Amino acid sequence: MSRRQIDITPDLMLRAYRAGLFPMAESRRGDRLYWLDPERRGVIPLDGGFHLPRRLLRTTLSGPYRVTADADFAGAIAGCAAPAPGREDTWINPEIEFLFLALHRQGHAHSVEVWQDGRLVGGLYGVVLGGAFFGESMFSRARDASKVALVHLVARLRLGGFTLLDSQFLTEHLSQFGAHEIPRAEYKRRLAHAVTAEAAWLAAPDPAALEAEIRALRGGPDAA
């Protein structure tokens, strides 16, 4: 993996994402940002390879949570940056937060939030360019909250015509949903196609269409 220090602005970030790069800090308190260009890239399938367990389908459709998009972007990124059990430090430093908040104001960064009793208990955020969504981070303060956010993200992206969901790295948490790694060259090929595709970020899709798309992620007779 190659890394190099560089001063980063929101416009430069967008150019970097188009080229397959993304920025990270070494730690929450780190004062340096680096471009990363992994040899193998994690991607989450949008074309039918997403794995949605039956229990998670029930939780997503009739569980205790309310799900929104772009309702509290600042809260979502703050939740991702906060320490949590098993993740006492993160790569999201104040500069990363500042840059992504700027991208959100420009309409290039979006979030999915999960609420319980009026409290933000989970969510995720990322960058949109054309038909590509670059997932950055997710968090959970209640059971399955980040998983519900991911299911809603995938359903929205499919409804909006997206073709690439980039997870940057492959984790055990994401692999259970069908996420897998592809070589850098293959990723760049898919990326070049995706960023020029037409797609629409759906912060408030038709509820019936969204539910149908979530059910379609499970598929089969046991989706009901």
Side-chain angles (χ1 to χ4, degrees):
M1 181 185 303
S2 60
R3 303 192 307 176
R4 59 188 178 92
Q5 184 180 352
I6 193 169
D7 292 331
I8 301 177
T9 66
D11 288 343
L12 184 57
M13 286 179 69
L14 294 178
R15 295 199 298 270
Y17 278 103
R18 288 183 181 276
L21 309 174
F22 59 91
M24 292 184 73
E26 289 185 321
S27 69
R28 175 65 175 162
R29 297 183 178 181
D31 59 359
R32 294 182 178 182
L33 302 184
Y34 299 90
W35 290 127
L36 275 73
D37 186 13
E39 293 183 4
R40 297 187 64 80
R41 196 68 160 248
V43 294
I44 300 174
L46 295 174
D47 58 357
F50 187 79
H51 300 162
L52 177 56
R54 187 187 310 178
R55 183 186 63 80
L56 182 57
L57 172 65
R58 291 196 298 267
T59 300
T60 302
L61 293 179
S62 57
Y65 302 128
R66 178 175 67 91
V67 181
T68 59
D70 290 343
D72 189 358
F73 184 90
I77 192 170
C80 292
R87 190 192 68 183
E88 285 66 34
D89 197 6
T90 73
W91 55 268
I92 305 170
N93 70 357
E95 186 176 2
I96 287 284
E97 288 191 73
F98 172 82
L99 289 165
F100 276 97
L101 286 168
L103 287 175
H104 177 63
R105 289 192 296 270
Q106 294 174 8
H108 294 295
H110 300 282
S111 58
V112 176
E113 306 90 14
V114 179
W115 307 82
Q116 185 175 30
D117 300 326
R119 185 170 63 95
L120 185 63
V121 296
L124 55 81
Y125 74 97
V127 173
V128 165
L129 284 172
F133 187 97
F134 306 88
E136 289 295 319
S137 187
M138 61 175 60
F139 78 100
S140 184
R141 296 175 182 148
R143 183 180 181 183
D144 292 337
S146 64
K147 296 178 182 179
V148 169
L150 180 61
V151 171
H152 269 262
L153 172 67
V154 171
R156 280 172 162 82
L157 295 182
R158 284 165 54 98
L159 281 174
F162 285 76
T163 61
L164 177 65
L165 174 48
D166 172 14
S167 67
Q168 298 179 348
F169 301 108
L170 181 65
T171 66
E172 183 178 352
H173 175 73
L174 293 176
S175 63
Q176 65 184 300
F177 297 104
H180 56 278
E181 290 183 328
I182 59 176
R184 180 191 293 158
E186 172 65 12
Y187 172 77
K188 297 285 179 75
R189 185 189 67 79
R190 295 190 191 181
L191 175 66
H193 172 76
V195 296
T196 59
E198 291 188 8
W201 168 255
L202 302 176
D206 175 74
L210 180 61
E211 178 176 337
E213 193 63 45
I214 291 173
R215 290 187 182 277
L217 291 176
R218 172 66 186 174
D222 58 354

